[in-house]
Amino acid sequence: MDIFETLESNVRSYCRSWPATFDRASGSRLYDEDGRAYLDFFAGAGALNYGHNNPVLKRALIAYLERDGVTQGLDMKTAAKRDFLWTLRDLVLEPRGLRYKVMFPGPGGANAVEAALKLARTVTGRSLVVGFTNAFHGMTLGALSVTGNAAKRGAAGVPLQHTTLMPYDGYVDGRITDFALLERLLTDSGSGLDLPAAVIVETVQGEGGLTPARIEWLRGLARLCERHAILLIVDDVQMGCGRTGPFFSFEPAAVQPDIVCLSKSIGGYGLPLALTLVKPELDVWEPGRHNGTFRGINPAFVASAEALRTYWRDDELEKSTLGKGEHVARVLTEVAQAHPEIPMKVKGRGLARGLALPDGEFARRVCRGAFERGLLVETSGPDGEVVKLMPPLTVTRDELDQGLALLTESVEGALE
Ligand code: PLP
């Protein structure tokens, strides 16, 4: 038994899927302490869109540390934070015509979600928030209350209240008209549904099984929110920062959410950083009403600003992500077509792709086989039935093909 098993809590999870002891990482690869290389098609659950230890970001970080730049800065003004805010404004918000105030809610995605829910309730004076089936928004109580997964909800230990979950796009296989249910509940004074403060949505459900909402569905949702004066929160923690192609995953729908949650790859180097972006008129916070120690991890500002300057000055990354994503979808479709006797479905958007298999046990066999072959992939979906592929956006075509070949072999292997 090693120290991880004897000392670390039973709650640990990824190390059970990948029982190696990792030591180094570079680009799309992780290396265990014996020097064995693994292609990482999980990318820190979406926190490593620019790859492990990206050399450009690393140089900026080393220079910052060498000159004794502030590391822990609470929410004080620092030069690093100023540079980050300027860069975010100039390269991300203004070119997209987005007017948001930037809130630092704490280091992780769940912090961004908690802040969004609190603010929406404060602004509207209403308590109910609508989430969607199979959504995932994080592990804190507020975020869990808009999360679908029964096992995760079950760990809360208290009733999860003041929320209700509605069918996500495609949930009832197109048998009911989009929003017919929500619209009816909202307009019927006998429905028992209070007017919600907000609706929180992922444009592609990452943990929920790589399920994309159609662009028209997202537009319809935004219109419905507007009609009923409900705030629209887009949780772009996993699908933001270019994972689906554009910087914000909602861009193709041409909607302007009232609140946007960002984390994971906004830190650039895998360092903790989260943002809650809010329309200026909603920024009604009293100073200090949402505080926290780790809201100013300055090395994360440095890496983040450098990542924005390196990858978001033009649309090259977006185009390459869309091209690579199409390639992954083509290969997965070939895998599925090679076995017409087994129901498989290719899901996702951009470089967030999934292969839905008949059940979770099958998907776990595929992921185990992939690990043995040197590829890190994880399952997602309500029963863990979807093999999820999220390589760094900086993955090369060669690495992509190597990983896809290992995955194809793993599916074949799981069939034997
Ligand atoms: N929101 C979404 C859409 C996520 O995918 C996640 C994490 O996977 C979170 C929120 C929570 O982020 P964190 O794990 O950093 O708290």
Side-chain angles (χ1 to χ4, degrees), residues 23-27 29 31 48 50-67 267-271 298-311:
D23 185 40
R24 286 189 314 112
S26 175
R29 287 196 165 79
Y31 300 87
L48 292 165
Y50 315 112
H52 288 271
N53 297 328
N54 183 300
V56 182
L57 314 188
K58 180 163 61 180
R59 274 198 299 278
L61 271 174
I62 290 173
Y64 186 75
L65 297 177
E66 282 285 353
R67 71 171 182 80
Y269 203 71
L271 292 171
N298 280 255
F301 295 143
V302 171
S304 181
E306 196 63 21
L308 298 179
R309 280 192 288 268
T310 308
Y311 294 104

Side-chain angles (χ1 to χ4, degrees), residues 72-200:
Q72 159 59 275
L74 298 170
D75 70 1
M76 292 184 283
K77 294 183 192 175
T78 63
K81 183 154 86 177
R82 182 175 54 207
D83 181 50
F84 164 74
L85 287 169
W86 276 341
T87 312
L88 184 77
R89 182 194 61 195
D90 294 349
L91 296 183
V92 175
L93 300 179
E94 284 193 346
R96 290 166 181 77
L98 295 170
R99 283 174 57 250
Y100 287 125
K101 295 287 284 291
V102 181
M103 170 183 179
F104 298 102
N111 299 108
V113 170
E114 292 294 337
L117 300 179
K118 281 165 74 173
L119 185 62
R121 287 174 169 137
T122 304
V123 167
T124 59
R126 306 173 206 143
S127 56
L128 184 74
V129 174
V130 170
F132 289 99
T133 49
N134 286 312
F136 181 75
H137 296 289
M139 293 294 191
T140 50
L141 285 184
L144 269 183
S145 71
V146 279
T147 287
N149 187 288
K152 292 184 173 106
R153 290 174 68 90
V158 291
L160 296 169
Q161 294 174 329
H162 309 301
T163 55
T164 187
L165 269 62
M166 289 284 150
Y168 191 65
D169 191 17
Y171 187 69
V172 240
D173 299 328
R175 272 178 282 137
I176 60 165
T177 325
D178 289 336
F179 306 116
L181 180 60
L182 185 52
E183 182 82 67
R184 176 104 178 88
L185 291 169
L186 286 169
T187 45
D188 174 12
S189 56
S191 73
L193 186 82
D194 294 333
L195 185 63
V199 163
I200 182 165

Side-chain angles (χ1 to χ4, degrees), residues 45 108-111 113 136-139 202 207 235 237-238 263-264:
N111 299 108
V113 170
F136 181 75
H137 296 289
M139 293 294 191
E202 299 157 274
E207 302 305 297
D235 179 349
V237 165
Q238 187 161 156
S263 185
K264 294 197 190 261

